[in-house]
Structures are given as C-alpha cells and as structure tokens.
Amino acid sequence: MTASLTGKNILSLEAGHVYAWETAEGVTGNILIDPGGSVARPCTLEGIPLGDMLLDKNVGSVENPDPDPKLRRAFLIAASAIFQEEERQGRLPEKITRTYW
C-alpha cells in the first residue's frame, strides 16, 4: 500500500518549530521540533507538547510511545520526514511531502 504525508512549518517559537502534518489516510497532527533540530514531540497548534512521546534523532528511538498505533506510526513518519529534509537541506524545511509504503 502506498500512502503520503504532507506537512509545513506553521510556527516558530523559542521552544522550537511547529509543523502541521496530514497523511493520505486522514491522520493529522502537529509536531514540535526543538531549537537544536534533534527532538520531535507531538504538540498543539500553539506548540504545547502533548503527552510524553518523543523521538530523539540522536538516539534513534521513540520514548514513551503513544498506545494508539495509527497515531504512533503517523508521528514517526512525520518526524522522520522532517529530520530527513533537515539533513538533506542543512536546515529545517518549510514544507515536506513524502510517499511511503
């Protein structure tokens, strides 16, 4: 099955950058990327972290994963896409689009 993800940087704060994302399956959310560009957390539109789940790209694993497998999977895909674009561009991207299986 092929699916896609789109996202964009919607807010820059002292705490980091907020990205709004959506999958083709209709799962939506927001991710806060810390100022150092290495930690992603689910958040509100205002950048307030939701729950304890986070992904530290330096460690390479999710801490405190959300019990909802759809949300957890979509979060991982969105965070990974943002981090990959950051690596490719040398900075956090304004927009992301990914196709995945």
Side-chain angles (χ1 to χ4, degrees):
M1 174 174 136
T2 303
S4 65
L5 168 111
T6 58
K8 66 180 181 175
N9 186 343
I10 59 168
L11 188 60
S12 294
L13 306 165
E14 191 173 309
H17 299 274
V18 178
Y19 284 82
W21 55 265
E22 180 176 6
T23 67
E25 296 87 11
V27 180
T28 62
N30 302 293
I31 290 182
L32 176 66
I33 305 292
D34 76 321
S38 63
V39 177
R41 301 181 65 115
C43 69
T44 66
L45 281 170
E46 297 81 21
I48 300 167
L50 296 171
D52 294 324
M53 182 168 58
L54 66 87
L55 173 65
D56 184 337
K57 75 176 185 181
N58 297 319
V59 176
S61 65
V62 175
E63 295 179 22
N64 308 310
D66 193 278
D68 180 346
K70 273 187 165 181
L71 180 63
R72 187 175 57 243
R73 180 175 187 266
F75 167 76
L76 285 170
I77 291 168
S80 296
I82 293 167
F83 287 149
Q84 287 170 359
E85 277 303 303
E86 177 191 26
E87 216 171 271
R88 190 179 73 77
Q89 295 181 23
R91 61 178 173 74
L92 286 169
E94 288 303 312
K95 293 182 177 184
I96 53 169
T97 302
R98 283 287 187 278
T99 301
Y100 55 93
W101 291 263

